[in-house]
Structure formats: structure tokens, C-alpha cells
Amino acid sequence: MRTLFPSDSCKEPQLNAINPQSWLQVERGKLTKPAPRSPSSIESLIKVPEPRILPVYKPVDYVEVLAQVHEELEMCPPTERSNLYLLQYQVFKGLGEAKLMRRSLRSAWLKASTVYEKLVFGAWLKYEKQGEEIISDLLTSCGKCAKEFGAIDIASEFPAYETPSCSDMLKDNLLQRMVSFQIGEEKITCDRHEIARLSAPFHAMLNGCFTESSSDEIDLSENNISPSGLRAVSDFGKTGSLSEVPCSLLLEILVFANRFCCESLKDACDKKLASLVMSRQDAVELMEFALEQNSPVLAASCLQVFLHELPDSLNDKQVVQLLSGLDAQQRSIMVGNASFSLYSLLTEVVMDSDPSSDTAVLFLEQLVDCAGTSRQKMIAFHQLGCVRLFRKEYDKAEKMFKAALSEGHVYSVVGLARLSHIKGHKDWPYEKISSIISSYSPLGWMYQERSLYCDGDKKLEELERATELDPTLTYPYMYRAASLMRKQDVQSALAEINRVLGFKLALECLELRFCFYLALEDYQSAICDVQAILTLSPDYRMFDGRVAASQLRTLVREHVENWTTADCWLQLYDRWSLVDDIGSLSVIYQMLESDAAKGVLYFRQSLLLLRLNCPEAAMRSLQLARQHASSEPERLVYEGWILYDTGHCEEGLRKAEESISLQRSFEAFFLKAYALADSSQDPSCSSTVVSLLEEALKCPSDRLRKGQALNNLGSVYVDCGKLDAAADCYINALKIRHTRAHQGLARVHFLRNDKNAAYAEMTKLIEKARNNASAYEKRSEYCERELTKADLEMVTRLDPLRVYPYRYRAAVLMDNHKEKEAITELSRAIAFKADLHLLHLRAAFHEHIGDVMGALRDCRAALSVDPNHQEMLELHSRVNSQEP
């Protein structure tokens, strides 16, 4: 494991210089009990930084913007669609909706109307899929082509230039057929008619009223064309081809073609040169020439090389210099009408790496320069303002934030408030944010920002309001927890930070809780959190980026008892049974340092990460499981899960079958059952799934996985109406401490018309599970209305991102004819979560009360979230027909 997450101790500053607290003794065998923590030492541990200004598009009413985008997409010409999907992407990015962001990019790519848009959005999707190359390889091994974002044949995307016929160009057939061109000491004899056909200037020279028209010899020595170059031009006039011409000569011919307006010759040179761009160095050398000579095919081909190699190509100073120093005409040659899209991509790549870099500034200046619409301007101005602020270029940042605000980006007021505060103005930031709150429907970020400019109880009131409006904001929880810790109210501090960690696994919150545990000298809990952090982000750095988390783990580990492999398995069973996913992650991290089978452990890690809604980290763990598989059958199982988790269910099923053909194993049968149940629409496949799970249970495995198989088997039996068999499965799963089986058994009780037993069963799960929001939600189905309301209120407190409670409460209000309150209930969740079901229900409510425009707006926004949702499409069609 140390090779995967190496210690950076040789490169780090001395930790004692950062945190001189005595609780971090590192001398082996010299651990002494530290002195009681003083308030000042606790303060040094639990500083909560101000919330970062996000360099993203955050409209005050994102639903309205999504609806407008959807409406424009319905009416706009094809040439505008990709730009609209890019705007949709920017909205979803501001909401943190990664899946929706990628879908918008894919739509922009699919709806691209030019080769430039195909190039940019294809490269963007390829960049977003970094680390997923293995999926393409696996699909290829299954006989399925997956190279959808490969290189484009740029030349074929440009129309061929049609050369005018002889009859169109020649009027005088009495002139001599041949003509000689003098270049230095050499004469090159050419066909007069073929040279004349190359361009209007040559036609006028050779067949018009000029002196050269009646001459047999014409001197071209002063026109920067070599004899071999002119011979190639003459051959082109005969054959229409430059197939054997070397690159150096092509460059010369292209300049000549531009000088004499030989469009067909220029087009052929442009395309031939484009076909010779094979490497980044080729592209660097030819791009400047392409821009000088107005050669769009060559320029686009060079750009394609740079984009194909993102992000590495932006570490090349020559590439950055080329792409950041262009004027509008040069951008048009290189990327046509897709300049804004291109620099949006380049900006994102650079800011992912270093948002305060010089390169970020250069590309954002280009983005500002090519922004055309008001929306594009507010995005570009705001992002450049953020980067200027990160770089402490305060006057320039202020100018950009003002420009963004004047274009309508209200969120940019946050930048102006921070800058004003930095400059010593105490009252203006508070007053300015207050004016925003009074002018718009208030949002969580507004109160969070205003809290920075007041103290004491007033600050806490502002933060409570921020959490009420947007419970996904982490700063309010962190500030409240740190304040409680300073007051020595340890339990309340931990409860507060645990509130947010219960539904959002934010690294900054885990770091703060780690610091709490250090201050409390609870090293076992501290190491649990730092190991969870390292699982999610192996390179994470703490204390404002000054210390690697891996180094802190090394130091803290000196203070905890070493577990044997058997201890680790026992700890893992305990935490898994308690539905303590963070604790389970930590134990697995520790086990990976032993000689245990790493493939199995990485696989378990991936399951936990999926449960914690960390799909990218889960995929990384799955790939590590494949890398560390101890046998080919085991490797095939992990490949099957990789394919299944990325939407390739049939291919995943095939991998499972291939594994079974080599060796019968629990995981192979389990995967096949899981994939088959998901992919088959045939109800009769249930018996096959049952037999597969039964075969899995006959194979060796540990209790953790067998409990899951029994739980799944019980679910299949329930779906088939075999309640006794289902109950047996759930009871057997509970005997081996698969705690989630309580939920399945509760369902059996309910289907047997015993709601009280179902309620009691779910209560057992609630009492045992560390993470139990879903258990409260499920229990709410098994009780009377008042208890249901109480359970769902608890769900919202534990996990405000779960949407069912809002929908239920809104439906109850609607039943009681409290339409306004019902819509308000949905609106408070929609404000921070773009959810199809919430928008669908609110649209239906709007329709019910006769608010056609409100219903239409919600329908359009919902279809931005899921364009193919059938019920939503039907509601949209119905409401659209009512529009006045």
C-alpha cells in the first residue's frame, strides 16, 4: 500500500512547525499522556476557512434558466444547439450534478453541426472519461467497438473545392497551348490552359490583355516559388493531386496558392498538410503557419492533436502560447464558431489542475474575448474574477465581478463583498448582500455569505437560515461544530459535524472531525477518518494544503493499537453490521497494508464507495481489484462489474459466464444473477436468478457477501410471491448479521397484512444502523399518518437530499387543499436539488391550480433533467397545448 500512497515525509515541512501540540508525539516508545488541551491549542486545530467562491455559473433561479434553454432548443436552428447544451452543462455544474453535466456534454457532441463542435465536445468527453480507458478495452474484448471519441478525419468534414471547367475560364483558344515560367536559371514549361484554370488572376495573366498573355515566357523569380514547387503546381493542374509532394514543398506551394488565389490548389495543400500532422511537435510547428495562411483544415488538425492529448498538452509552453495569443480572426480559422466552447474546455482543464495559474488567466481572457451572449459573458467574467481573486489581484478581480453582475450574474456579488471586506469596508458587504436577499427569492448561499460579516448570535442565526434554505452547504455545519468545540461542548460539536457527514461525504468535514478527535486524543477515531479520507482522495492534503494526509496518518498510527488480520476481519464485520460505511472503509484501508488478498478487499471497498455515492472512487477501487486479482476467473468477475457499473449489462453478464466456465465461484454466480435480474424483462427469468443465487451460496465465501446473497434471494422470492421462502432467507441473513435484511423481513410482514410487525422490524434496523435515514423512510410506510410524518421529518433531518419526504408532505398538503403550502414544500427542495420527481409533481400542482406558465416552466426544466421521461413528456404536451 505504501507504493500506492507513498509517504511524502522527505518533502514535507516539519509537522511540529505547523502543529506543535504535544498530542502528536512521534518518538517510538515514548508516548506520554499530553497535558490537557488549552483553548488556544484547540483553536489552532479547528480553524474553519471561509467558504470558497465557486468559479461556476449559479443563476438565482436555475429552473427558469433550464426551462429557457429547453424552450430555445425546441425552436433554434441546428447550428445553435451545441451552445445551448453547453449552457445547460454550466447550470448543472453549478448544481454539482456530475451525471447531468456529462449527459449535456454528450448531447452537445451528438448535436454538433460543425466539425469544430464535434472536435471540441468529443475532446471534452474524452477528458471527462480519463481513467476509464479500461472500459473501452473491455468492450473491445467483448467484440463491441467503443472508440467513439477517437480522431476525426478533419479533411473529410470540409467540402471539396470544385475547380471551374475550361469552358468557364477560357475565352481565347487561339493562344499558344504551352507557356514557360522562368525561375532563376530554370525554365518550367506548363500547359497554359491548366495553369489558367487554377485561379482568376492566372486566367487574367495568361488569357487577358496583359503583356504576359501574349508571351511564351513569364518570369516568376520574385514570387517565392522554387522550380520544384512550380513543377508540383503544374502536375496538380494536370492531375488534381499532390500525393507525392513532401511537406516542405507543400508549405511553399500553399503560400504561392494564397498569393495567386488558387483556391483548389490551396484546398489540396491544406488537406494534404493536415494529413501529415502526426505528433504534438508537428502540430506546434504547423499551427502558426496554418493561421498565417488561413488554412482551416490544417489548423483544426493541429488543434485536434492538442485536444486529444489533454491535459498533458497544456503542460507544453509552446501549446499554451499558441492557444492563448489568438485574435478573433485566428480563432475563427482554427475553430470556426466554436471559440467559446473551446476556451470553456481549456479553462476547465487548467482550473482542475491549478485555478490560480497564469495559464488559467490567459485562457479566461480568451474566453471573455469570444463571449457573445449575455450568459456567456457572465460566465466568463465571473470565472476570470474568481481566478484574479485567487491570485490576490484585487482590482482586476473587482472589475470582472462588476462586469458579471452587470450582465445579470447575481452570485458574483459574493466576490465583490469579499473584496470590499478585504479592503477594510465593514458595512458595505453586509448591506450589499442584504439588498440582494430583499430583491430575490433568498437562497442558502446568500445567508451564508452575509454571515461572514456579522458575529455572535447574529452569525449563527444567518447560518441556521442558510442551512434551512440549502442543507448541502458544508460551511454552516463546520462553523457551528467548531464553535461548539471551542466551548468544550464536545458531544454537540461531533453531533453537528456528523449531521452533514450522514448524507454528504465531504472531505473538508472529515478533516475537521479528524481534528476534533486529535484534540480529544481519540486516536482510534482520528485514524478512522484519515484512512477514509485517503480512500477517497489518496493525495489529499490537510491544514490548508500544507501537510499530506498520508503523513498525518503515519504519525497518528503511532498512538493506536496494531490489529492482526483476524482483528481486522472482526472489526469489519462489526462495522458492516452496524451499517457504518466510513468505519468499514477505514478497516479495509488498513487491511490493504497486510498480505491479505488485495483484489477481494478493493472489491469490498468499491461496494462501500458506491453505497456512499462516490462513483468515481468506486470505479478506481474496482480497477485496482482487477489489477490485484489472484486468478483469471477472479479478474473476469471484476471486469464484469466494471462493465455492469458503466451501463454495459450484457457484456458484464458475458464476463460472469466466462468466469463460471473456468471456475465456479460465489462472486461469479452473484454477478450473473445481479446482471440477469437487471437486464431481462422476462418475468420467467426469476427462477434462473434464484438458481444462480442458490449456486452462489453453495460456493465458499465470507458472511458479509453471503448475507447480501441471502438478502437478494429473499427479494426475488418476494417478487415471486413466495413469502415463506423469502422470510427464511432474511432470517438466515440476520443470523449472520446482515442488518439490512430487517428491511426485507419487514416487507414480508407487511405483505402478510401485519403492519405492526413490519414497523417493529424496521425499528430494529433503525436501532442497529449507524446510517439509518433510509430505514426511517421505509418505516414510514408501515404506520399511521402522524407517525409517518414524524418519520419523514426525521429522514429530512438525517438526509435532506432524499426527495420522497418532500413529495409526501406536499401530497398531504394538496389533499388538504393547501395548494400554496404544497408548492412551497416542493420548492424548498428544488432550490438545492434538481430532481425530476420534484419538478414533475410541482408541474402537476401548477397545472391543477391553473398556473399554465408555472407548469410549463417546470415541465421544461424536468425534461432538461431527463429528456426521455414518458410521463413528463405527456404532461409537457398537455400543458403546452394550454399555453395562451
Side-chain angles (χ1 to χ4, degrees):
M1 200 61 188
R2 292 186 186 281
T3 62
L4 289 173
F5 307 124
S7 171
D8 294 327
S9 57
C10 59
K11 295 179 282 186
E12 297 298 331
Q14 287 297 310
L15 205 60
N16 288 343
I18 297 169
N19 288 299
Q21 285 74 22
S22 58
W23 41 258
L24 218 49
Q25 301 285 342
V26 297
E27 297 179 68
R28 295 183 184 276
K30 296 186 180 179
L31 177 59
T32 57
K33 184 169 180 61
R37 298 274 64 75
S38 67
S40 61
S41 69
I42 291 175
E43 177 68 28
S44 68
L45 273 175
I46 58 176
K47 289 180 180 177
V48 177
E50 288 185 350
R52 186 166 171 261
I53 301 175
L54 301 175
V56 295
Y57 178 42
K58 288 182 75 70
V60 170
D61 186 350
Y62 78 85
V63 173
E64 183 65 35
V65 176
L66 286 177
Q68 289 171 1
V69 169
H70 188 273
E71 183 180 14
E72 289 173 34
L73 282 167
E74 289 179 320
M75 298 185 298
C76 73
T79 54
E80 295 178 17
R81 286 180 184 159
S82 286
N83 274 336
L84 287 168
Y85 280 118
L86 176 57
L87 177 61
Q88 190 184 79
Y89 165 87
Q90 300 285 11
V91 175
F92 288 138
K93 185 177 181 183
L95 292 166
E97 296 286 352
K99 286 184 179 179
L100 298 179
M101 288 161 57
R102 187 175 288 192
R103 203 206 57 222
S104 294
L105 284 181
R106 187 171 181 82
S107 296
W109 177 66
L110 290 170
K111 300 296 183 182
S113 61
T114 66
V115 64
Y116 303 115
E117 290 173 344
K118 291 179 188 175
L119 194 60
V120 171
F121 290 110
W124 204 329
L125 284 164
K126 182 177 182 293
Y127 171 73
E128 290 289 328
K129 286 176 173 283
Q130 284 181 101
E132 297 181 18
E133 294 81 5
I134 184 178
I135 298 166
S136 298
D137 296 339
L138 292 178
L139 287 171
T140 302
S141 73
C142 295
K144 186 173 181 179
C145 179
K147 303 290 185 182
E148 58 184 353
F149 306 123
I152 299 173
D153 180 2
I154 302 285
S156 68
E157 299 283 341
F158 283 79
Y161 184 85
E162 294 184 8
T163 305
S165 65
C166 254
S167 59
D168 292 332
M169 296 287 292
L170 300 180
K171 296 179 180 178
D172 187 351
N173 292 322
L174 300 176
L175 296 172
Q176 294 184 17
R177 181 78 182 181
M178 306 305 290
V179 62
S180 294
F181 292 101
Q182 181 82 32
I183 298 177
E185 300 297 321
E186 291 193 48
K187 289 184 180 178
I188 297 91
T189 302
C190 305
D191 186 300
R192 180 185 294 267
H193 295 176
E194 289 169 355
I195 298 298
R197 288 177 61 206
L198 290 175
S199 70
F202 267 129
H203 176 262
M205 178 194 295
L206 297 176
N207 296 295
C209 56
F210 294 98
T211 303
E212 291 87 350
S213 302
S214 58
S215 174
D216 297 337
E217 294 186 7
I218 300 173
D219 192 352
L220 289 181
S221 300
E222 302 300 320
N223 287 279
N224 296 321
I225 185 79
S226 66
S228 54
L230 189 57
R231 290 190 190 95
V233 171
S234 179
D235 290 342
F236 176 80
K238 297 174 185 175
T239 65
S241 171
L242 294 169
S243 58
E244 302 299 324
V245 181
C247 180
S248 57
L249 208 55
L250 287 168
L251 299 174
E252 180 184 308
I253 294 169
L254 182 56
V255 175
F256 178 82
N258 263 328
R259 173 168 292 186
F260 287 95
C261 304
C262 305
E263 294 302 326
S264 60
L265 179 61
K266 177 188 173 183
D267 182 65
C269 274
D270 194 5
K271 291 177 178 176
K272 179 64 177 177
L273 282 166
S275 71
L276 301 177
V277 181
M278 299 297 180
S279 67
R280 188 195 305 173
Q281 193 55 44
D282 291 341
V284 166
E285 291 172 357
L286 290 171
M287 175 64 91
E288 192 170 355
F289 179 83
L291 297 174
E292 287 175 356
Q293 298 302 318
N294 190 13
S295 301
V297 183
L298 177 57
S301 297
C302 295
L303 177 64
Q304 177 169 237
V305 172
F306 299 152
L307 297 182
H308 187 75
E309 295 184 10
L310 289 174
D312 292 344
S313 57
L314 297 189
N315 294 322
D316 187 325
K317 292 181 180 179
Q318 290 179 295
V319 173
V320 171
Q321 187 175 0
L322 277 170
L323 295 176
S324 61
L326 306 181
D327 58 29
Q329 182 180 358
Q330 291 171 320
R331 289 195 300 266
S332 178
I333 294 168
M334 179 180 70
V335 73
N337 63 346
S339 292
F340 188 82
S341 302
L342 170 64
Y343 286 97
S344 294
L345 166 59
L346 296 177
T347 296
E348 182 153 315
V349 174
V350 173
M351 292 184 71
D352 284 348
S353 172
D354 183 0
S356 60
S357 65
D358 292 342
T359 306
V361 172
L362 292 170
F363 285 155
L364 277 167
E365 287 175 340
Q366 287 283 323
L367 189 69
V368 166
D369 199 35
C370 59
T373 68
S374 179
R375 290 163 174 164
Q376 289 178 345
K377 288 176 182 177
M378 66 175 75
I379 292 168
F381 287 140
H382 178 73
Q383 286 186 323
L384 184 52
C386 288
V387 170
R388 294 292 192 191
L389 180 57
F390 299 156
R391 292 162 60 91
K392 300 184 178 180
E393 298 171 357
Y394 298 138
D395 290 340
K396 293 179 178 178
E398 183 177 15
K399 182 179 178 182
M400 289 298 102
F401 285 132
K402 283 181 176 178
L405 185 60
S406 69
E407 292 291 341
H409 192 237
V410 176
Y411 179 67
S412 294
V413 76
V414 172
L416 293 173
R418 300 281 178 94
L419 288 165
S420 179
H421 191 66
I422 288 169
K423 293 177 180 180
H425 305 300
K426 303 299 182 183
D427 298 329
W428 188 90
Y430 186 91
E431 293 168 358
K432 185 64 178 177
I433 301 297
S434 296
S435 72
I436 294 295
I437 290 173
S438 62
S439 301
Y440 299 91
S441 295
L443 296 170
W445 65 258
M446 298 176 184
Y447 283 92
Q448 174 178 270
E449 187 62 26
R450 194 166 71 172
S451 76
L452 303 180
Y453 312 113
C454 49
D455 300 303
D457 291 342
K458 178 62 177 172
K459 186 182 188 80
L460 291 173
E461 287 175 15
E462 299 286 288
L463 291 174
E464 284 296 338
R465 182 65 173 142
T467 298
E468 179 185 332
L469 291 169
D470 186 353
T472 68
L473 296 171
T474 58
Y475 173 78
Y477 300 96
M478 294 173 69
Y479 181 86
R480 287 190 294 262
S483 298
L484 289 164
M485 197 68 178
R486 291 187 193 99
K487 296 173 182 176
Q488 308 287 315
D489 189 348
V490 173
Q491 294 308 314
S492 296
L494 288 172
E496 183 64 27
I497 200 65
N498 288 340
R499 279 179 64 194
V500 64
L501 286 170
F503 66 90
K504 186 174 184 179
L505 199 55
L507 291 174
E508 65 271 21
C509 295
L510 274 174
E511 179 180 349
L512 183 61
R513 191 170 72 175
F514 166 80
C515 292
F516 287 177
Y517 287 135
L518 284 184
L520 297 169
E521 301 162 25
D522 183 352
Y523 302 120
Q524 190 63 59
S525 296
I527 203 163
C528 175
D529 279 352
V530 77
Q531 287 177 166
I533 287 170
L534 288 167
T535 299
L536 292 163
S537 179
D539 299 321
Y540 190 77
R541 301 179 70 82
M542 295 184 170
F543 300 115
D544 294 325
R546 290 175 291 174
V547 187
S550 57
Q551 187 187 10
L552 283 168
R553 175 185 177 270
T554 300
L555 296 172
V556 174
R557 195 173 178 188
E558 298 289 334
H559 300 266
V560 299
E561 180 184 353
N562 285 325
W563 290 340
T564 65
T565 301
D567 292 333
C568 286
W569 277 110
L570 289 172
Q571 290 289 335
L572 184 57
Y573 281 128
D574 285 343
R575 283 160 171 73
W576 204 285
S577 298
L578 291 169
V579 196
D580 176 7
D581 295 332
I582 294 176
S584 299
L585 274 184
S586 176
V587 176
I588 288 176
Y589 184 94
Q590 191 159 329
M591 293 172 76
L592 282 164
E593 289 193 329
S594 70
D595 295 327
K598 289 184 170 53
V600 172
L601 292 171
Y602 278 121
F603 178 58
R604 301 295 167 80
Q605 191 180 74
S606 74
L607 298 176
L608 287 165
L609 289 165
L610 278 177
R611 213 149 71 190
L612 288 163
N613 195 29
C614 302
E616 292 181 4
M619 181 55 63
R620 185 173 65 241
S621 295
L622 256 184
Q623 293 184 22
L624 287 168
R626 175 182 180 268
Q627 181 182 325
H628 289 88
S630 59
S631 66
E632 185 178 356
E634 183 185 349
R635 177 180 57 78
L636 287 167
V637 168
Y638 301 145
E639 290 179 352
W641 280 115
I642 289 170
L643 290 166
Y644 176 84
D645 286 346
T646 52
H648 305 286
C649 190
E650 290 184 10
E651 289 74 20
L653 188 60
R654 204 178 308 168
K655 289 288 183 182
E657 291 169 345
E658 192 177 343
S659 179
I660 292 169
S661 71
L662 296 175
Q663 179 184 323
R664 295 165 60 84
S665 70
F666 173 91
E667 292 297 352
F669 280 116
F670 188 92
L671 169 60
K672 185 175 180 181
Y674 205 93
L676 185 63
D678 187 45
S679 63
S680 177
Q681 303 299 317
D682 185 359
S684 64
C685 88
S686 295
S687 59
T688 307
V689 173
V690 167
S691 65
L692 287 168
L693 288 171
E694 288 174 342
E695 288 298 321
L697 288 164
K698 293 175 186 176
C699 299
S701 185
D702 60 71
R703 290 181 298 169
L704 297 176
R705 294 299 283 157
K706 289 209 170 186
Q708 182 66 62
L710 285 165
N711 198 59
N712 287 16
L713 184 56
S715 297
V716 178
Y717 280 137
V718 168
D719 292 339
C720 297
K722 298 178 179 180
L723 299 185
D724 290 342
D728 289 341
C729 287
Y730 292 131
I731 290 168
N732 288 330
L734 288 169
K735 287 178 181 177
I736 54 176
R737 301 179 66 189
H738 187 78
T739 309
R740 282 186 168 84
H742 282 297
Q743 183 167 319
L745 192 54
R747 186 180 174 202
V748 171
H749 290 314
F750 179 72
L751 292 172
R752 288 172 171 168
N753 296 317
D754 191 347
K755 283 179 67 174
N756 291 335
Y759 184 89
E761 200 67 43
M762 289 308 301
T763 302
K764 293 176 186 177
L765 177 55
I766 288 169
E767 290 168 350
K768 292 180 182 179
R770 181 77 55 93
N771 300 317
N772 54 19
S774 62
Y776 275 105
E777 184 173 300
K778 194 65 183 175
R779 190 177 73 169
S780 71
E781 299 176 19
Y782 306 138
C783 49
E784 301 306 319
R785 176 168 285 191
E786 287 307 311
L787 288 175
T788 294
K789 288 171 65 177
D791 272 357
L792 292 179
E793 285 296 340
M794 178 62 76
V795 174
T796 299
R797 283 198 292 274
L798 293 172
D799 184 354
L801 297 179
R802 300 184 76 90
V803 300
Y804 173 73
Y806 301 99
R807 294 167 62 206
Y808 177 88
R809 288 188 291 265
V812 170
L813 288 165
M814 205 69 179
D815 287 345
N816 293 331
H817 306 291
K818 297 179 178 179
E819 292 89 353
K820 184 177 179 180
E821 292 88 340
I823 290 172
T824 299
E825 177 65 23
L826 294 174
S827 298
R828 74 179 179 116
I830 289 170
F832 59 84
K833 186 172 177 64
D835 180 79
L836 172 76
H837 303 291
L838 293 171
L839 288 164
H840 186 186
L841 190 57
R842 192 171 74 172
F845 287 0
H846 281 306
E847 183 194 29
H848 178 76
I849 64 174
D851 182 359
V852 175
M853 295 310 296
L856 193 57
R857 179 200 60 199
D858 283 351
C859 284
R860 287 168 173 162
L863 288 171
S864 297
V865 174
D866 184 354
N868 302 313
H869 191 270
Q870 191 57 42
E871 290 182 21
M872 202 68 249
L873 288 167
E874 291 170 3
L875 178 59
H876 175 254
S877 177
R878 187 170 69 245
V879 172
N880 204 24
S881 66
Q882 302 172 32
E883 185 181 6

